[in-house]
Amino acid sequence: MRIGVIGAGRLGICFALLCEEAGHSVFVSDVVSKYVTNINNKEIFSNEPEVEELLMRSENLRATTSNLEVVRNSDIIFTFVPTPSLEDGSYDCTYVDDVVNDLLSAPSLDGKVFVVGCTTNPGYCDTVNERLSGRGITVYYNPEFIAQGTIIRDMKTADMILCGGEYTREYYRGFEMIQEIYEDIQDTPVRFHQISRTAAEITKIGVNCFLTYKISYANMMGQILYNAGCGDEIDSILEAVGNDSRVGSKYLRYGLGFGGPCLPRDNRALGYYADQVGLKYSLPQVTDDFNDTHADFICNYCIEQNVDGLPFFIESISYKIGTDMVVESPRYRLVTDLLEKGYKVYVQDIKDVIDEFEDEMSEKYGDDKIIFVSNPSEIYENVWRIDL
């Protein structure tokens, strides 16, 4: 199959490499010309496991800065361009609009399949379909459920594949192509869910929104247990709760709140969309508010437990240890809260995070207060380790 990928960022390049490894011919595009050159020369660096190895082994992967070139040379085109959050909680789909404009400028789209793989507002992909109507191309919504730092693994072992399209004969071929691709790249059985585009968009943010409830529930229980004098039993109690098959143990763990590039914004997006269809739901906002107050609880807990007033030590300020993604990171929030209260903090982190944040944070808080290290052996005094 000739597969095109428009937007070869963290997610796009992982998807492209897995498709190539499965035996497909893959053509990717990106706006950064140096990055495109590096892909073609097999010289990119990535903090995502397996990316560099897959690229080095690849034989049928090409990169370009031209979306039109990808469209011309592909039977099925996936796009993974950014959809940043707006202040009201919805997504800015401008970059997807730009991709659609490129599709509209193509001489022919007959028989091609277009798949939106980034998170979009419910109903948005239907507008894409309307814009491309009459051009002979079918439009699908197929989001990924992955986490930074485990993108390749998550794609190979996905719990489900969500695909939105239409229940008409002309869409059967596209559904079959998309399912075939995932059957080729997954190590586990493919659970393929074929629904409408809007239903798929709602499901994508709904799944992540449910995870924020589950994380917040676990943290609420942890707070109650600490205040009840049962803090040393949190893990045992949540294990018992998770063993109830109606609940399940995934994401049911006490610790820092939810963060990162997906869960917070999908949570807000579902609240925004509910409001747009005339429903005044409080659950997404309540979960968001609890996540904020839980950050204060964690900070105060750390200070109270550190009875000797030692400098603090935490492994990473990214939202997930080992990644370079700091967006809405509860670890970053905890470190800055401690610094604001005058405490000294050591942070062990990867080079990319140190390079990006060391100067900025040292200038703001003082290089005697925030100290980045790449190895714990670089710390020359007793510290209070934050194990969360």
Side-chain angles (χ1 to χ4, degrees):
M1 203 180 300
R2 299 188 307 163
I3 299 173
V5 176
I6 295 176
R10 293 170 184 267
L11 177 55
I13 192 63
C14 290
F15 179 79
L17 287 168
L18 285 175
C19 290
E20 192 281 336
E21 184 189 42
H24 299 286
S25 175
V26 184
F27 205 175
V28 305
S29 63
D30 199 86
V31 295
V32 181
S33 57
K34 182 172 176 56
Y35 178 56
V36 165
T37 300
N38 289 341
I39 291 174
N40 286 325
N41 292 336
K42 301 185 178 183
E43 295 176 345
I44 67 169
F45 167 80
S46 175
N47 286 313
E48 283 295 330
E50 299 187 58
V51 166
E52 294 174 38
E53 294 86 348
L54 286 171
L55 180 61
M56 288 302 297
R57 295 200 302 267
S58 65
E59 298 178 355
N60 295 298
L61 177 74
R62 290 184 295 157
T64 178
T65 56
S66 170
N67 291 346
L68 273 175
E69 194 174 357
V70 169
V71 174
R72 282 196 302 269
N73 291 279
S74 304
D75 303 311
I76 181 169
I77 304 117
F78 291 79
T79 185
F80 297 102
V81 293
T83 52
S85 294
L86 297 170
E87 288 186 8
D88 60 11
S90 64
Y91 301 106
D92 181 353
C93 297
T94 302
Y95 294 114
V96 186
D97 289 336
D98 292 341
V99 173
V100 175
N101 288 336
D102 285 336
L103 287 169
L104 288 169
S105 66
S108 174
L109 297 175
D110 285 342
K112 294 185 184 292
V113 173
F114 180 52
V115 184
V116 178
C118 31
T119 307
T120 56
N121 302 308
Y124 172 77
C125 286
D126 280 350
T127 69
V128 170
N129 184 63
E130 290 170 10
R131 291 183 62 194
L132 293 170
S133 178
R135 294 296 308 274
I137 188 171
T138 48
V139 177
Y140 303 77
Y141 179 62
N142 171 222
E144 301 290 343
F145 295 89
I146 51 84
Q148 303 293 328
T150 55
I151 294 177
I152 296 288
R153 186 189 73 188
D154 294 344
M155 284 186 172
K156 286 183 174 181
T157 59
D159 290 328
M160 68 162 174
I161 300 301
L162 188 64
C163 192
E166 296 180 14
Y167 300 102
T168 60
R169 184 176 298 277
E170 66 176 321
Y171 272 78
Y172 291 167
R173 172 175 166 269
F175 278 126
E176 289 175 352
M177 290 172 70
I178 295 166
Q179 183 169 351
E180 179 185 335
I181 288 169
Y182 283 102
E183 287 174 345
D184 288 342
I185 68 177
Q186 277 196 217
D187 293 335
T188 53
V190 174
R191 298 179 177 88
F192 194 79
H193 294 265
Q194 178 180 321
I195 54 180
S196 69
R197 284 183 293 260
T198 297
E201 288 166 319
I202 294 171
T203 304
K204 165 58 169 72
I205 57 178
V207 167
N208 282 348
C209 192
F210 182 80
L211 295 181
T212 69
Y213 303 156
K214 201 168 183 181
I215 293 166
S216 296
Y217 166 81
N219 286 332
M220 177 196 73
M221 287 292 289
Q223 289 186 18
I224 292 171
L225 290 163
Y226 271 124
N227 288 355
C230 304
D232 59 339
E233 297 184 83
I234 289 176
D235 290 345
S236 298
I237 290 164
L238 289 177
E239 181 181 0
V241 172
N243 281 339
D244 188 314
S245 61
R246 297 169 299 175
V247 177
S249 60
K250 279 190 175 182
Y251 283 80
L252 194 68
R253 187 179 67 85
Y254 180 78
L256 297 167
F258 57 84
C262 295
L263 297 188
R265 72 194 203 114
D266 285 1
N267 187 56
R268 295 168 198 145
L270 187 63
Y272 169 82
Y273 184 69
D275 184 68
Q276 297 305 296
V277 295
L279 299 167
K280 300 295 182 183
Y281 289 155
S282 61
L283 271 176
Q285 185 61 53
V286 168
T287 308
D288 228 28
D289 292 343
F290 176 84
N291 202 49
D292 185 55
T293 59
H294 183 64
D296 294 333
F297 181 92
I298 289 290
C299 181
N300 292 332
Y301 167 80
C302 290
I303 292 170
E304 290 169 5
Q305 295 296 307
N306 184 11
V307 293
D308 296 323
L310 297 171
F312 287 96
F313 169 84
I314 189 169
E315 186 179 357
S316 185
I317 57 170
S318 62
Y319 93 101
K320 184 179 179 183
I321 294 174
T323 74
D324 58 357
M325 185 68 70
V326 182
V327 58
E328 298 212 43
S329 166
R331 293 176 169 276
Y332 178 81
R333 162 77 181 269
L334 176 56
V335 168
T336 56
D337 284 350
L338 291 170
L339 290 168
E340 293 286 354
K341 293 178 183 292
Y343 289 92
K344 183 174 183 175
V345 183
Y346 285 95
V347 176
Q348 178 191 345
D349 230 316
I350 61 175
K351 184 179 183 300
D352 285 358
V353 173
I354 294 175
D355 289 346
E356 183 174 354
F357 289 94
E358 184 174 29
D359 289 345
E360 173 189 334
M361 295 183 75
S362 294
E363 183 177 346
K364 183 173 182 179
Y365 299 106
D367 54 16
D368 60 331
K369 289 293 185 182
I370 174 70
I371 300 172
F372 283 89
V373 298
S374 57
N375 191 310
S377 64
E378 299 175 46
I379 300 172
Y380 304 108
E381 57 185 307
N382 291 330
V383 295
W384 195 86
R385 186 182 182 95
I386 300 170
D387 288 316
L388 290 168

